[in-house]
Amino acid sequence: DAKTTQPNSMESNEEEPVHLPCNHSTISGTDYIHWYRQLPSQGPEYVIHGLTSNVNNRMASLAIAEDRKSSTLILHRATLRDAAVYYCILLQGAQKLVFGQGTRLTINP
Amino acid sequence: DTEVTQTPKHLVMGMTNKKSLKCEQHMGHRAMYWYKQKAKKPPELMFVYSYEKLSINESVPSRFSPECPNSSLLNLHLHALQPEDSALYLCASSPGRVREKLFFGSGTQLSVL
């Protein structure tokens, strides 16, 4: 399974942008980059995914490096409800979503 | 309805008991998944069903037995579990097409005494 590397934890302030990095140097051409987050006492929740181009949705933006060896999840204006563990995952094949260690994001009021 | 519903939410069982976890979705999804999550760890994939057929088994011990009776329902039958099997068991579903996002339930917190 292709690996991703994320910082164990990050901290940010409410109403400020947050940039969550992810390295995936062994990514193959057909791997999609998925991001999920897990709030306390809940199952993981889909955030965003992309292949080559930058992507935006109502929750976040995903910036993918030109060589695809890294990506950054951007929360434009963090709220306290964004405190969670964020997982960057390479989706290989149709259905094998394998979670890495993730980044625990703390938001300060 | 965009929910994956798991029952029960909590379960305590002895090592000689037989119990089952249930997962249901009504989104018309054709792929369903079981994950196991220990405290402070990421979810670990156990099984994947695609169009009611078992497509992935991540070398899970036989004391865990999955079943997919129809496209909306997924069960996990538990027998002779060990205390180290205590964990949060998460169910997920996806449309079944290539690289679609997964929808997760809130999980069943299992304690084995």
Side-chain angles (χ1 to χ4, degrees):
Chain A
D1 300 327
K3 295 270 194 208
T4 61
T5 305
Q6 299 177 252
N8 288 334
S9 62
M10 290 184 63
E11 206 168 318
S12 186
N13 297 320
E14 201 174 8
E15 299 187 6
E16 290 184 358
V18 180
H19 290 234
L20 295 163
C22 181
N23 287 321
H24 28 78
S25 57
T26 59
I27 192 170
S28 73
T30 55
D31 290 343
Y32 276 70
I33 302 159
H34 277 238
W35 284 81
Y36 283 74
R37 71 180 186 180
Q38 189 171 19
L39 280 65
S41 304
Q42 294 189 26
E45 173 188 31
Y46 167 83
V47 178
I48 201 166
H49 78 278
L51 182 62
T52 56
S53 306
N54 295 344
V55 185
N56 300 296
N57 66 21
R58 64 173 180 80
M59 288 180 72
S61 296
L62 177 60
I64 301 172
E66 200 168 327
D67 63 6
R68 300 209 328 124
K69 293 184 187 298
S70 65
S71 61
T72 302
L73 179 71
I74 303 164
L75 307 178
H76 293 286
R77 202 160 164 265
T79 71
L80 295 178
R81 288 177 293 180
D82 291 321
V85 179
Y86 285 78
Y87 295 101
C88 167
I89 305 165
L90 298 183
L91 188 54
Q92 306 169 299
Q95 295 160 340
K96 197 167 178 179
L97 196 75
V98 177
F99 287 78
Q101 293 302 311
T103 296
R104 184 171 299 276
L105 177 65
T106 301
I107 304 294
N108 299 316
Chain B
D1 184 359
T2 58
E3 276 196 2
V4 174
T5 304
Q6 290 188 242
T7 54
K9 294 210 179 303
H10 298 90
L11 179 63
V12 179
M13 60 185 290
M15 289 189 283
T16 58
N17 292 157
K18 285 186 181 181
K19 296 284 184 185
S20 296
L21 309 184
K22 181 179 168 183
C23 174
E24 204 162 358
Q25 57 85 17
H26 297 286
M27 294 179 277
H29 289 174
R30 302 310 300 269
M32 296 187 78
Y33 310 73
W34 281 115
Y35 282 83
K36 172 184 176 178
Q37 186 173 27
K38 303 280 276 185
K40 306 280 188 201
K41 296 290 187 184
E44 296 173 30
L45 183 64
M46 300 175 73
F47 302 105
V48 181
Y49 272 84
S50 179
Y51 292 81
E52 293 108 73
K53 287 187 170 31
L54 184 64
S55 60
I56 296 176
N57 177 342
E58 292 287 276
S59 303
V60 178
S62 60
R63 58 185 184 268
F64 295 92
S65 176
E67 180 197 20
C68 190
N70 59 59
S71 60
S72 300
L73 195 54
L74 184 67
N75 298 319
L76 186 63
H77 303 297
L78 313 173
H79 174 54
L81 293 195
Q82 304 296 310
E84 58 265 28
D85 296 321
S86 298
L88 181 69
Y89 288 84
L90 292 160
C91 174
S93 70
S94 71
R97 296 182 293 274
V98 175
R99 299 184 185 94
E100 287 278 358
K101 66 184 182 184
L102 272 63
F103 292 76
F104 282 83
S106 296
T108 294
Q109 187 65 55
L110 174 68
S111 296
V112 182
L113 304 179

